[in-house]
Amino acid sequence: MIKNFDQLLEAAKSQKTMRLAVAAAHDPEVLGAVVKAAQLGLIEPILIGDQQKIAELCGEEHLEICGVEIIDEPELEAAAKVSVQMVREGKADFLMKGLIDTSILLKAVLNREYGLRTDSQLSHVMLYDAPAYHKLLFLTDGGMNIEPTLAEKATILRNALDAARTLGMETVKVACIAAKEKVNDKMPATVDARALQNMSREGDFGEGVIVEGPLAFDLAVSKEAAEIKGFESEIAGDADVLLVPNIEVGNGIGKALTYLANAESAGVIMGAKVPVVLVSRADTAEVKLYSIALGSIIAAGMNPTT
């Protein structure tokens, strides 16, 4: 099992090299991360975007792209379509967002004619390597789904499980986060959390999955807190996945991990036929690199014959 981001990079290096299609690749920060990932042997990049701008940026940033495939497509909608079609046609294994609005890229991903939609819904999955925690920690969904229903939370959880299993987690421990551990009809998050726990016990999420909820954040990540509170649990202090009730909770926990707990992070969108690496311009170069590595490992795990 991969336990930290150093091991994440090594795992991405050791597997078959995945081909990454970058939509609207004419972005200096994305180009820098993609070129570094290629130099480390994590990926084989395919750059789709404004070829002249890509060349100019690589010259300005001293980035070596000799031998890298570049498809000249300055128009953003067209660049998104070409990127998605390359994956659909088996010419690329996963996607990354460049200098393009997320909505434009995801519209192409979800296109019924040429896109990569599945029966699932899209959801954002973050992975954190926090110095204060003893292993990697998934968080979902703090980036896409605003106020998911119970059925949507079940799908979001399945997407996170798909990601977790590609990292070699034989047993995945999921904490459904709420403000308290007791079910309260006035607190829908607790009701949904208990329902997800019951679904897991009935086998809805497959073997090797333990779902508990509702669980407060402290119990999910701290055995000491559980002991002090006298809370009996199979996963307290040892959660692999934090399933949050809404986007505000996920956004808050994620940023607290980054800015207060000095956690490194990586993020992808799950629910399509392949992972989509989607990073913010505010993300560090390391976050972009780790996200590419995570996407590569998930892509290989989702398509083992690739």
Side-chain angles (χ1 to χ4, degrees), residues 157-199:
L157 175 52
R158 291 188 180 96
N159 286 345
L161 292 172
D162 287 343
R165 290 183 178 114
T166 65
L167 268 60
M169 296 182 182
E170 295 181 0
T171 300
V172 186
K173 300 176 180 179
V174 181
C176 300
I177 301 300
K180 58 187 297 184
E181 294 74 57
K182 293 183 179 180
V183 176
N184 185 331
D185 290 340
K186 295 181 179 179
M187 302 174 71
T190 66
V191 176
D192 286 355
R194 182 54 50 84
L196 290 166
Q197 175 178 292
N198 292 337
M199 290 169 64

mmCIF file of all heavy atoms in Angstrom, residues 157-199:
data_model
loop_
_atom_site.group_PDB
_atom_site.id
_atom_site.type_symbol
_atom_site.label_atom_id
_atom_site.label_comp_id
_atom_site.label_asym_id
_atom_site.label_seq_id
_atom_site.Cartn_x
_atom_site.Cartn_y
_atom_site.Cartn_z
ATOM 1 N N LEU A 157 -18.982 8.204 -2.829
ATOM 2 C CA LEU A 157 -18.186 7.245 -2.071
ATOM 3 C C LEU A 157 -17.603 6.168 -2.986
ATOM 4 O O LEU A 157 -16.422 5.803 -2.874
ATOM 5 C CB LEU A 157 -19.044 6.615 -0.975
ATOM 6 C CG LEU A 157 -18.400 5.495 -0.154
ATOM 7 C CD1 LEU A 157 -17.050 5.927 0.399
ATOM 8 C CD2 LEU A 157 -19.330 5.069 0.975
ATOM 9 N N ARG A 158 -18.398 5.665 -3.892
ATOM 10 C CA ARG A 158 -17.902 4.634 -4.820
ATOM 11 C C ARG A 158 -16.749 5.172 -5.666
ATOM 12 O O ARG A 158 -15.780 4.456 -5.937
ATOM 13 C CB ARG A 158 -19.037 4.128 -5.704
ATOM 14 C CG ARG A 158 -20.078 3.310 -4.948
ATOM 15 C CD ARG A 158 -21.099 2.658 -5.891
ATOM 16 N NE ARG A 158 -22.080 1.896 -5.133
ATOM 17 C CZ ARG A 158 -23.269 2.359 -4.760
ATOM 18 N NH1 ARG A 158 -23.639 3.607 -5.108
ATOM 19 N NH2 ARG A 158 -24.091 1.605 -4.063
ATOM 20 N N ASN A 159 -16.848 6.422 -6.085
ATOM 21 C CA ASN A 159 -15.751 7.028 -6.846
ATOM 22 C C ASN A 159 -14.469 7.072 -6.012
ATOM 23 O O ASN A 159 -13.377 6.777 -6.507
ATOM 24 C CB ASN A 159 -16.122 8.445 -7.284
ATOM 25 C CG ASN A 159 -17.127 8.480 -8.420
ATOM 26 O OD1 ASN A 159 -17.364 7.476 -9.084
ATOM 27 N ND2 ASN A 159 -17.729 9.633 -8.642
ATOM 28 N N ALA A 160 -14.604 7.454 -4.752
ATOM 29 C CA ALA A 160 -13.437 7.516 -3.868
ATOM 30 C C ALA A 160 -12.858 6.125 -3.629
ATOM 31 O O ALA A 160 -11.635 5.953 -3.564
ATOM 32 C CB ALA A 160 -13.817 8.167 -2.539
ATOM 33 N N LEU A 161 -13.717 5.126 -3.503
ATOM 34 C CA LEU A 161 -13.253 3.747 -3.317
ATOM 35 C C LEU A 161 -12.476 3.276 -4.538
ATOM 36 O O LEU A 161 -11.453 2.580 -4.411
ATOM 37 C CB LEU A 161 -14.431 2.820 -3.045
ATOM 38 C CG LEU A 161 -15.155 3.018 -1.707
ATOM 39 C CD1 LEU A 161 -16.415 2.158 -1.653
ATOM 40 C CD2 LEU A 161 -14.234 2.689 -0.540
ATOM 41 N N ASP A 162 -12.936 3.648 -5.728
ATOM 42 C CA ASP A 162 -12.218 3.288 -6.952
ATOM 43 C C ASP A 162 -10.800 3.857 -6.918
ATOM 44 O O ASP A 162 -9.830 3.186 -7.305
ATOM 45 C CB ASP A 162 -12.953 3.811 -8.182
ATOM 46 C CG ASP A 162 -14.216 3.023 -8.495
ATOM 47 O OD1 ASP A 162 -14.357 1.896 -7.983
ATOM 48 O OD2 ASP A 162 -15.067 3.547 -9.255
ATOM 49 N N ALA A 163 -10.681 5.097 -6.456
ATOM 50 C CA ALA A 163 -9.356 5.724 -6.363
ATOM 51 C C ALA A 163 -8.509 5.051 -5.295
ATOM 52 O O ALA A 163 -7.326 4.756 -5.514
ATOM 53 C CB ALA A 163 -9.510 7.215 -6.067
ATOM 54 N N ALA A 164 -9.094 4.795 -4.140
ATOM 55 C CA ALA A 164 -8.349 4.216 -3.025
ATOM 56 C C ALA A 164 -7.806 2.832 -3.362
ATOM 57 O O ALA A 164 -6.665 2.491 -3.016
ATOM 58 C CB ALA A 164 -9.242 4.146 -1.787
ATOM 59 N N ARG A 165 -8.596 2.049 -4.040
ATOM 60 C CA ARG A 165 -8.166 0.677 -4.353
ATOM 61 C C ARG A 165 -6.964 0.652 -5.298
ATOM 62 O O ARG A 165 -6.152 -0.267 -5.243
ATOM 63 C CB ARG A 165 -9.339 -0.105 -4.939
ATOM 64 C CG ARG A 165 -10.436 -0.412 -3.912
ATOM 65 C CD ARG A 165 -11.542 -1.257 -4.516
ATOM 66 N NE ARG A 165 -12.562 -1.607 -3.541
ATOM 67 C CZ ARG A 165 -13.824 -1.172 -3.585
ATOM 68 N NH1 ARG A 165 -14.217 -0.371 -4.562
ATOM 69 N NH2 ARG A 165 -14.692 -1.540 -2.659
ATOM 70 N N THR A 166 -6.843 1.651 -6.158
ATOM 71 C CA THR A 166 -5.695 1.672 -7.070
ATOM 72 C C THR A 166 -4.394 1.951 -6.313
ATOM 73 O O THR A 166 -3.307 1.702 -6.842
ATOM 74 C CB THR A 166 -5.869 2.730 -8.180
ATOM 75 O OG1 THR A 166 -5.883 4.043 -7.614
ATOM 76 C CG2 THR A 166 -7.134 2.492 -8.968
ATOM 77 N N LEU A 167 -4.494 2.460 -5.087
ATOM 78 C CA LEU A 167 -3.305 2.704 -4.271
ATOM 79 C C LEU A 167 -2.957 1.492 -3.408
ATOM 80 O O LEU A 167 -2.077 1.558 -2.556
ATOM 81 C CB LEU A 167 -3.509 3.929 -3.372
ATOM 82 C CG LEU A 167 -3.039 5.270 -3.957
ATOM 83 C CD1 LEU A 167 -3.771 5.602 -5.242
ATOM 84 C CD2 LEU A 167 -3.203 6.382 -2.935
ATOM 85 N N GLY A 168 -3.657 0.383 -3.638
ATOM 86 C CA GLY A 168 -3.326 -0.854 -2.937
ATOM 87 C C GLY A 168 -3.987 -1.024 -1.593
ATOM 88 O O GLY A 168 -3.543 -1.855 -0.792
ATOM 89 N N MET A 169 -5.045 -0.271 -1.318
ATOM 90 C CA MET A 169 -5.757 -0.410 -0.042
ATOM 91 C C MET A 169 -6.690 -1.613 -0.106
ATOM 92 O O MET A 169 -7.702 -1.585 -0.797
ATOM 93 C CB MET A 169 -6.565 0.862 0.262
ATOM 94 C CG MET A 169 -5.715 2.094 0.467
ATOM 95 S SD MET A 169 -6.730 3.552 0.873
ATOM 96 C CE MET A 169 -5.460 4.820 0.994
ATOM 97 N N GLU A 170 -6.351 -2.670 0.596
ATOM 98 C CA GLU A 170 -7.178 -3.877 0.577
ATOM 99 C C GLU A 170 -8.452 -3.681 1.397
ATOM 100 O O GLU A 170 -9.514 -4.176 1.036
ATOM 101 C CB GLU A 170 -6.381 -5.060 1.102
ATOM 102 C CG GLU A 170 -5.204 -5.432 0.206
ATOM 103 C CD GLU A 170 -4.445 -6.621 0.734
ATOM 104 O OE1 GLU A 170 -4.839 -7.164 1.796
ATOM 105 O OE2 GLU A 170 -3.456 -7.014 0.091
ATOM 106 N N THR A 171 -8.326 -2.999 2.536
ATOM 107 C CA THR A 171 -9.486 -2.623 3.350
ATOM 108 C C THR A 171 -9.531 -1.111 3.412
ATOM 109 O O THR A 171 -8.564 -0.474 3.837
ATOM 110 C CB THR A 171 -9.398 -3.192 4.770
ATOM 111 O OG1 THR A 171 -9.344 -4.615 4.708
ATOM 112 C CG2 THR A 171 -10.608 -2.777 5.598
ATOM 113 N N VAL A 172 -10.634 -0.535 2.966
ATOM 114 C CA VAL A 172 -10.766 0.925 2.947
ATOM 115 C C VAL A 172 -11.719 1.335 4.056
ATOM 116 O O VAL A 172 -12.868 0.896 4.100
ATOM 117 C CB VAL A 172 -11.289 1.420 1.586
ATOM 118 C CG1 VAL A 172 -11.269 2.943 1.543
ATOM 119 C CG2 VAL A 172 -10.456 0.847 0.443
ATOM 120 N N LYS A 173 -11.231 2.183 4.952
ATOM 121 C CA LYS A 173 -12.015 2.633 6.098
ATOM 122 C C LYS A 173 -12.553 4.030 5.822
ATOM 123 O O LYS A 173 -11.782 4.975 5.643
ATOM 124 C CB LYS A 173 -11.162 2.627 7.364
ATOM 125 C CG LYS A 173 -10.610 1.239 7.704
ATOM 126 C CD LYS A 173 -9.690 1.274 8.912
ATOM 127 C CE LYS A 173 -9.142 -0.111 9.230
ATOM 128 N NZ LYS A 173 -8.232 -0.082 10.401
ATOM 129 N N VAL A 174 -13.878 4.135 5.808
ATOM 130 C CA VAL A 174 -14.545 5.385 5.419
ATOM 131 C C VAL A 174 -15.271 5.984 6.611
ATOM 132 O O VAL A 174 -16.086 5.314 7.268
ATOM 133 C CB VAL A 174 -15.560 5.137 4.286
ATOM 134 C CG1 VAL A 174 -16.225 6.453 3.875
ATOM 135 C CG2 VAL A 174 -14.898 4.470 3.099
ATOM 136 N N ALA A 175 -14.991 7.249 6.895
ATOM 137 C CA ALA A 175 -15.688 7.987 7.953
ATOM 138 C C ALA A 175 -16.637 8.981 7.306
ATOM 139 O O ALA A 175 -16.215 9.853 6.547
ATOM 140 C CB ALA A 175 -14.695 8.715 8.848
ATOM 141 N N CYS A 176 -17.932 8.840 7.597
ATOM 142 C CA CYS A 176 -18.939 9.789 7.107
ATOM 143 C C CYS A 176 -19.027 10.922 8.117
ATOM 144 O O CYS A 176 -19.561 10.755 9.222
ATOM 145 C CB CYS A 176 -20.287 9.099 6.937
ATOM 146 S SG CYS A 176 -20.260 7.726 5.775
ATOM 147 N N ILE A 177 -18.507 12.073 7.748
ATOM 148 C CA ILE A 177 -18.314 13.169 8.687
ATOM 149 C C ILE A 177 -19.615 13.914 8.991
ATOM 150 O O ILE A 177 -20.406 14.209 8.095
ATOM 151 C CB ILE A 177 -17.268 14.159 8.146
ATOM 152 C CG1 ILE A 177 -15.923 13.445 7.924
ATOM 153 C CG2 ILE A 177 -17.088 15.345 9.081
ATOM 154 C CD1 ILE A 177 -15.317 12.839 9.163
ATOM 155 N N ALA A 178 -19.800 14.197 10.275
ATOM 156 C CA ALA A 178 -20.918 15.016 10.744
ATOM 157 C C ALA A 178 -20.444 15.720 12.011
ATOM 158 O O ALA A 178 -19.303 15.548 12.443
ATOM 159 C CB ALA A 178 -22.152 14.157 11.013
ATOM 160 N N ALA A 179 -21.325 16.507 12.618
ATOM 161 C CA ALA A 179 -20.934 17.261 13.805
ATOM 162 C C ALA A 179 -21.013 16.440 15.083
ATOM 163 O O ALA A 179 -20.458 16.833 16.112
ATOM 164 C CB ALA A 179 -21.806 18.505 13.938
ATOM 165 N N LYS A 180 -21.689 15.307 15.034
ATOM 166 C CA LYS A 180 -21.828 14.467 16.224
ATOM 167 C C LYS A 180 -21.985 13.020 15.810
ATOM 168 O O LYS A 180 -22.186 12.714 14.625
ATOM 169 C CB LYS A 180 -23.040 14.919 17.050
ATOM 170 C CG LYS A 180 -24.358 14.892 16.288
ATOM 171 C CD LYS A 180 -25.496 15.517 17.104
ATOM 172 C CE LYS A 180 -25.784 14.754 18.379
ATOM 173 N NZ LYS A 180 -26.937 15.307 19.099
ATOM 174 N N GLU A 181 -21.910 12.131 16.801
ATOM 175 C CA GLU A 181 -21.929 10.701 16.515
ATOM 176 C C GLU A 181 -23.315 10.084 16.618
ATOM 177 O O GLU A 181 -23.513 8.945 16.217
ATOM 178 C CB GLU A 181 -20.984 9.956 17.471
ATOM 179 C CG GLU A 181 -19.521 10.288 17.273
ATOM 180 C CD GLU A 181 -19.161 11.667 17.792
ATOM 181 O OE1 GLU A 181 -19.385 11.939 18.995
ATOM 182 O OE2 GLU A 181 -18.682 12.484 16.977
ATOM 183 N N LYS A 182 -24.244 10.818 17.168
ATOM 184 C CA LYS A 182 -25.605 10.299 17.321
ATOM 185 C C LYS A 182 -26.494 10.829 16.197
ATOM 186 O O LYS A 182 -26.395 11.985 15.804
ATOM 187 C CB LYS A 182 -26.177 10.700 18.679
ATOM 188 C CG LYS A 182 -25.478 10.033 19.857
ATOM 189 C CD LYS A 182 -26.128 10.413 21.172
ATOM 190 C CE LYS A 182 -25.436 9.722 22.342
ATOM 191 N NZ LYS A 182 -26.067 10.085 23.640
ATOM 192 N N VAL A 183 -27.367 9.959 15.721
ATOM 193 C CA VAL A 183 -28.286 10.369 14.656
ATOM 194 C C VAL A 183 -29.330 11.317 15.211
ATOM 195 O O VAL A 183 -29.936 11.058 16.255
ATOM 196 C CB VAL A 183 -28.969 9.141 14.022
ATOM 197 C CG1 VAL A 183 -29.995 9.571 12.980
ATOM 198 C CG2 VAL A 183 -27.936 8.219 13.393
ATOM 199 N N ASN A 184 -29.521 12.419 14.534
ATOM 200 C CA ASN A 184 -30.498 13.431 14.920
ATOM 201 C C ASN A 184 -31.288 13.814 13.678
ATOM 202 O O ASN A 184 -30.719 14.271 12.684
ATOM 203 C CB ASN A 184 -29.780 14.649 15.512
ATOM 204 C CG ASN A 184 -30.736 15.705 16.042
ATOM 205 O OD1 ASN A 184 -31.852 15.862 15.559
ATOM 206 N ND2 ASN A 184 -30.295 16.447 17.056
ATOM 207 N N ASP A 185 -32.596 13.616 13.718
ATOM 208 C CA ASP A 185 -33.428 13.903 12.547
ATOM 209 C C ASP A 185 -33.332 15.354 12.092
ATOM 210 O O ASP A 185 -33.636 15.668 10.932
ATOM 211 C CB ASP A 185 -34.888 13.552 12.845
ATOM 212 C CG ASP A 185 -35.106 12.045 12.960
ATOM 213 O OD1 ASP A 185 -34.250 11.302 12.444
ATOM 214 O OD2 ASP A 185 -36.112 11.630 13.552
ATOM 215 N N LYS A 186 -32.912 16.248 12.988
ATOM 216 C CA LYS A 186 -32.783 17.647 12.632
ATOM 217 C C LYS A 186 -31.443 17.939 11.953
ATOM 218 O O LYS A 186 -31.210 19.059 11.500
ATOM 219 C CB LYS A 186 -32.938 18.525 13.871
ATOM 220 C CG LYS A 186 -34.325 18.467 14.494
ATOM 221 C CD LYS A 186 -34.430 19.387 15.701
ATOM 222 C CE LYS A 186 -35.827 19.339 16.317
ATOM 223 N NZ LYS A 186 -35.936 20.232 17.515
ATOM 224 N N MET A 187 -30.598 16.923 11.898
ATOM 225 C CA MET A 187 -29.282 17.067 11.269
ATOM 226 C C MET A 187 -29.164 16.032 10.149
ATOM 227 O O MET A 187 -28.749 14.898 10.379
ATOM 228 C CB MET A 187 -28.167 16.882 12.302
ATOM 229 C CG MET A 187 -28.255 17.863 13.460
ATOM 230 S SD MET A 187 -27.039 17.516 14.765
ATOM 231 C CE MET A 187 -25.519 17.992 13.933
ATOM 232 N N PRO A 188 -29.563 16.398 8.941
ATOM 233 C CA PRO A 188 -29.592 15.441 7.821
ATOM 234 C C PRO A 188 -28.257 14.724 7.591
ATOM 235 O O PRO A 188 -28.245 13.577 7.147
ATOM 236 C CB PRO A 188 -29.963 16.312 6.620
ATOM 237 C CG PRO A 188 -30.716 17.471 7.215
ATOM 238 C CD PRO A 188 -30.068 17.734 8.538
ATOM 239 N N ALA A 189 -27.150 15.385 7.880
ATOM 240 C CA ALA A 189 -25.845 14.754 7.671
ATOM 241 C C ALA A 189 -25.709 13.490 8.516
ATOM 242 O O ALA A 189 -25.121 12.495 8.067
ATOM 243 C CB ALA A 189 -24.720 15.728 8.005
ATOM 244 N N THR A 190 -26.257 13.516 9.722
ATOM 245 C CA THR A 190 -26.161 12.332 10.580
ATOM 246 C C THR A 190 -27.058 11.210 10.069
ATOM 247 O O THR A 190 -26.700 10.033 10.148
ATOM 248 C CB THR A 190 -26.552 12.674 12.031
ATOM 249 O OG1 THR A 190 -27.947 13.023 12.105
ATOM 250 C CG2 THR A 190 -25.722 13.824 12.568
ATOM 251 N N VAL A 191 -28.210 11.580 9.550
ATOM 252 C CA VAL A 191 -29.154 10.582 9.026
ATOM 253 C C VAL A 191 -28.540 9.884 7.802
ATOM 254 O O VAL A 191 -28.556 8.651 7.692
ATOM 255 C CB VAL A 191 -30.496 11.240 8.660
ATOM 256 C CG1 VAL A 191 -31.437 10.216 8.035
ATOM 257 C CG2 VAL A 191 -31.131 11.870 9.900
ATOM 258 N N ASP A 192 -27.995 10.669 6.890
ATOM 259 C CA ASP A 192 -27.386 10.100 5.690
ATOM 260 C C ASP A 192 -26.173 9.248 6.046
ATOM 261 O O ASP A 192 -25.937 8.185 5.448
ATOM 262 C CB ASP A 192 -26.973 11.208 4.724
ATOM 263 C CG ASP A 192 -28.148 11.842 4.012
ATOM 264 O OD1 ASP A 192 -29.286 11.368 4.194
ATOM 265 O OD2 ASP A 192 -27.927 12.821 3.262
ATOM 266 N N ALA A 193 -25.382 9.718 7.001
ATOM 267 C CA ALA A 193 -24.183 8.975 7.400
ATOM 268 C C ALA A 193 -24.546 7.593 7.924
ATOM 269 O O ALA A 193 -23.900 6.592 7.577
ATOM 270 C CB ALA A 193 -23.400 9.755 8.450
ATOM 271 N N ARG A 194 -25.568 7.509 8.756
ATOM 272 C CA ARG A 194 -25.979 6.211 9.280
ATOM 273 C C ARG A 194 -26.532 5.325 8.160
ATOM 274 O O ARG A 194 -26.314 4.108 8.141
ATOM 275 C CB ARG A 194 -27.009 6.404 10.396
ATOM 276 C CG ARG A 194 -27.470 5.099 11.067
ATOM 277 C CD ARG A 194 -26.307 4.249 11.602
ATOM 278 N NE ARG A 194 -25.367 5.004 12.415
ATOM 279 C CZ ARG A 194 -25.536 5.246 13.722
ATOM 280 N NH1 ARG A 194 -26.616 4.786 14.343
ATOM 281 N NH2 ARG A 194 -24.637 5.931 14.389
ATOM 282 N N ALA A 195 -27.249 5.939 7.229
ATOM 283 C CA ALA A 195 -27.784 5.171 6.098
ATOM 284 C C ALA A 195 -26.643 4.579 5.267
ATOM 285 O O ALA A 195 -26.706 3.417 4.830
ATOM 286 C CB ALA A 195 -28.672 6.058 5.229
ATOM 287 N N LEU A 196 -25.579 5.343 5.055
ATOM 288 C CA LEU A 196 -24.431 4.845 4.296
ATOM 289 C C LEU A 196 -23.727 3.716 5.051
ATOM 290 O O LEU A 196 -23.279 2.736 4.449
ATOM 291 C CB LEU A 196 -23.454 5.990 4.016
ATOM 292 C CG LEU A 196 -23.946 7.042 3.018
ATOM 293 C CD1 LEU A 196 -23.066 8.284 3.066
ATOM 294 C CD2 LEU A 196 -23.979 6.478 1.598
ATOM 295 N N GLN A 197 -23.659 3.847 6.365
ATOM 296 C CA GLN A 197 -23.077 2.774 7.176
ATOM 297 C C GLN A 197 -23.883 1.492 7.021
ATOM 298 O O GLN A 197 -23.322 0.400 6.833
ATOM 299 C CB GLN A 197 -23.046 3.198 8.646
ATOM 300 C CG GLN A 197 -22.578 2.094 9.590
ATOM 301 C CD GLN A 197 -22.523 2.553 11.033
ATOM 302 O OE1 GLN A 197 -21.692 3.381 11.398
ATOM 303 N NE2 GLN A 197 -23.424 2.028 11.873
ATOM 304 N N ASN A 198 -25.191 1.627 7.079
ATOM 305 C CA ASN A 198 -26.060 0.447 6.929
ATOM 306 C C ASN A 198 -25.941 -0.160 5.529
ATOM 307 O O ASN A 198 -25.934 -1.388 5.370
ATOM 308 C CB ASN A 198 -27.509 0.825 7.216
ATOM 309 C CG ASN A 198 -27.730 1.189 8.678
ATOM 310 O OD1 ASN A 198 -26.964 0.771 9.557
ATOM 311 N ND2 ASN A 198 -28.770 1.965 8.953
ATOM 312 N N MET A 199 -25.835 0.695 4.517
ATOM 313 C CA MET A 199 -25.660 0.209 3.145
ATOM 314 C C MET A 199 -24.380 -0.606 3.023
ATOM 315 O O MET A 199 -24.334 -1.650 2.368
ATOM 316 C CB MET A 199 -25.641 1.389 2.165
ATOM 317 C CG MET A 199 -26.983 2.082 1.986
ATOM 318 S SD MET A 199 -26.843 3.660 1.084
ATOM 319 C CE MET A 199 -26.252 3.078 -0.516
#
